[in-house]
C-alpha cells in the first residue's frame, strides 16, 4: 500500500470511531507497505486515559511481531500525536511518522495538549501536579540491580 492509502486507512478508522462513540483518532502501524496493526481512541469506552489510537496500534504491533522494537515500521496517525503518544512512538523506535490533522486542529475542537508541553519545561516543584522525591536511596536498589544484571534486555 502507498503512504496515502495507509493514511486514508488511519483517517477512516478515526471517522468510524466517532460513529462508534469513541474519539476522532485512528492509527496504523505498517511495515513495507503492509498493515501490521491498527488502533483507535478508546479512552471513554475503556475508562483508560492511555487508550489513544497510537498507543493501541503500537501495543498490537508489538504483540503481533513479538518485540518491543518496531524498527522497520512506520506509523500513520489521523492527527499529530499528543505528548504521550509521541513519547510512545519514540520508545517503539518507529522509523517514520505520518499524520493528517495538526495539533492546532485538535486544539480547535477541544483536544489541546499545549499545557502538557508547558508543564514539561518546568522543574518538578513548579508544575501544577505537585510532586516530591521520596525514599530516593531505597529506590536506587532497583537501578543497582539492573546495572549489575548481565542478561538484561536493553530498551
Amino acid at each position: 500500500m502507498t503512504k496515502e492509502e495507509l493514511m486514508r486507512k488511519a483517517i477512516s478508522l478515526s471517522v468510524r470511531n466517532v460513529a462508534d462513540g469513541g474519539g476522532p483518532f485512528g492509527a496504523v502501524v505498517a511495515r513495507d507497505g503492509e498493515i501490521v496493526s491498527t488502533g483507535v481512541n478508546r479512552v471513554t469506552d475503556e475508562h483508560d486515559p492511555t487508550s489513544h489510537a497510537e498507543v493501541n496500534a503500537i501495543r498490537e504491533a508489538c504483540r503481533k511481531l513479538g518485540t518491543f522494537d518496531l524498527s522497520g515500521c512506520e506509523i500513520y496517525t489521523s492527527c499529530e500525536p499528543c505528548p504521550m503518544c509521541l513519547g510512545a512512538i519514540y520508545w517503539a523506535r518507529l522509523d517514520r511518522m505520518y499524520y493528517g490533522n495538526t495539533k492546532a486542529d485538535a486544539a480547535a475542537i477541544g483536544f489541546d495538549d499545549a499545557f502538557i508541553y508547558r508543564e514539561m519545561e518546568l522543574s518538578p516543584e513548579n508544575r501544577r501536579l505537585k510532586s516530591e522525591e521520596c525514599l530516593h536511596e531505597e529506590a536506587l536498589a532497583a537501578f543497582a540491580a539492573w546495572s549489575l544484571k548481565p542478561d538484561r534486555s536493553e530498551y
Side-chain angles (χ1 to χ4, degrees):
M1 298 176 82
T2 67
K3 68 180 178 185
E4 292 82 9
E5 290 170 319
L6 291 162
M7 180 55 75
R8 283 187 187 103
K9 176 65 175 175
I11 293 167
S12 74
L13 287 166
S14 69
V15 172
R16 184 168 10 123
N17 199 51
V18 171
D20 292 344
F25 306 98
V28 172
V29 172
R31 184 169 58 186
D32 299 324
E34 299 296 321
I35 294 175
V36 174
S37 66
T38 63
V40 294
N41 181 288
R42 303 311 294 169
V43 168
T44 55
D45 279 3
E46 295 178 2
H47 309 288
D48 179 355
T50 69
S51 190
H52 290 202
E54 299 90 340
V55 169
N56 290 333
I58 288 168
R59 287 175 178 160
E60 181 62 22
C62 289
R63 278 191 291 272
K64 281 187 176 177
L65 297 176
T67 183
F68 56 81
D69 184 340
L70 295 179
S71 297
C73 296
E74 300 172 330
I75 190 162
Y76 298 79
T77 178
S78 64
C79 185
E80 189 174 0
C82 74
M84 176 185 68
C85 292
L86 185 59
I89 289 165
Y90 275 104
W91 282 117
R93 296 180 178 89
L94 289 149
D95 289 355
R96 190 172 186 99
M97 174 179 69
Y98 298 92
Y99 60 91
N101 293 312
T102 67
K103 60 185 176 184
D105 297 327
I109 63 164
F111 293 95
D112 191 355
D113 302 318
F115 79 96
I116 297 173
Y117 287 108
R118 286 191 303 273
E119 287 280 306
M120 290 169 62
E121 293 295 319
L122 300 173
S123 60
E125 64 273 6
N126 292 322
R127 293 180 185 153
R128 196 169 67 190
L129 176 64
K130 301 300 177 210
S131 60
E132 65 180 85
E133 189 175 0
C134 183
L135 299 177
H136 180 242
E137 292 300 318
E138 291 180 37
L140 285 172
F143 283 10
W146 176 259
S147 295
L148 297 172
K149 186 175 173 56
D151 62 338
R152 67 181 179 254
S153 294
E154 300 290 339
Y155 60 95

